[in-house]
Amino acid sequence: SKQPLANYIVRTSGNRQIRTHASGKYTLTNLPPGRYGIVAQSAERFLEQVERMVAVAGQDLENIDLDVPMDGVISGRVLDENREPIPGAMVKLISRQYYLGTAGYFYTSVMARTDDRGQYLLEQVPAERPYLLMASQGATSIPARSEVPLNPKFRKPVAVRTWYPSSPSREGAVPVVLRYGEHREGIDIQMRRSP
């Protein structure tokens, strides 16, 4: 997006480092002649970084810009058929990927649980890729013995797993694609209840 990134760590392959100013600028001084890898990475997220190779030969180098791809954010609410919030629902980000030569849909590491108002926030969503969102409710583990009545008439209705915007199956899901650094709000998922 060409917006400046403040407080980013910029370091060389010789382990000199500095943080960027509010304007996104940095200055590395007194580098002896040679080839250097200039690396920029977030102070909070150490796994993601951008690197550029430069050659220093006794002169100052200016405008060595590093373009960092910024992740996006998705937020919204999980509601039932009466538009009431569903607290404690899990919202998962799902991507289509190839694994062992076969295309499939896989959970990513990005997921969030809704609060008491049914709101969720998915952070660190990689940009420019289509993702599906799925909301589900229920325990993360299944007890050894069920307490649910055998007769379906006596079972308490629960929210059924739903794909954004309100599809009970993946085929009816609408993919979400973010731009770099975008915060997409209002991605609400409406779940139906069933015994």
Side-chain angles (χ1 to χ4, degrees):
S1 64
K2 302 301 181 194
Q3 297 298 313
L5 296 174
N7 204 30
Y8 254 64
I9 297 171
V10 178
R11 61 182 166 81
T12 67
S13 49
N15 287 331
R16 288 192 186 176
Q17 75 177 31
I18 193 165
R19 291 185 185 252
T20 58
H21 305 292
S23 63
K25 294 193 179 287
Y26 68 95
T27 303
L28 294 165
T29 58
N30 299 324
L31 294 175
R35 290 186 54 79
Y36 293 92
I38 306 294
V39 177
Q41 69 185 124
S42 168
E44 291 85 33
R45 297 175 56 197
F46 293 104
L47 295 179
E48 296 181 8
Q49 61 186 26
V50 174
E51 183 173 6
R52 184 166 174 192
M53 296 299 294
V54 296
V56 176
Q59 79 276 7
D60 291 343
L61 298 176
E62 295 183 2
N63 299 324
I64 306 297
D65 295 339
L66 300 159
D67 292 329
V68 178
M70 298 300 295
D71 292 338
V73 176
I74 299 173
S75 63
R77 299 177 70 201
V78 177
L79 309 166
D80 66 12
E81 61 270 1
N82 298 321
R83 310 251 344 131
E84 293 293 322
I86 299 179
M90 182 63 77
V91 179
K92 298 179 181 178
L93 196 69
I94 298 170
S95 69
R96 182 174 168 87
Q97 299 175 10
Y98 284 93
Y99 180 72
L100 297 176
T102 305
Y105 290 90
F106 298 94
Y107 293 121
T108 68
S109 61
V110 179
M111 58 185 70
R113 194 168 290 280
T114 58
D115 63 14
D116 59 341
R117 296 173 297 185
Q119 296 178 337
Y120 71 90
L121 181 69
L122 296 172
E123 298 180 293
Q124 300 178 358
V125 177
E128 296 192 348
R129 291 194 58 200
Y131 291 100
L132 301 179
L133 274 72
M134 184 191 73
S136 61
Q137 188 179 29
T140 55
S141 62
I142 299 173
R145 192 177 130 218
S146 175
E147 299 293 330
V148 177
L150 196 55
N151 187 340
K153 293 180 184 177
F154 300 116
R155 293 180 187 168
K156 180 182 173 184
V158 294
V160 177
R161 179 175 65 187
T162 306
W163 299 78
Y164 171 76
S166 60
S167 174
S169 67
R170 187 181 67 225
E171 289 74 25
V174 175
V176 176
V177 180
L178 299 181
R179 294 183 310 273
Y180 289 108
E182 178 183 4
H183 182 165
R184 181 87 53 93
E185 299 176 304
I187 304 296
D188 296 343
I189 302 172
Q190 192 167 2
M191 301 175 78
R192 291 192 321 245
R193 293 188 182 269
S194 177

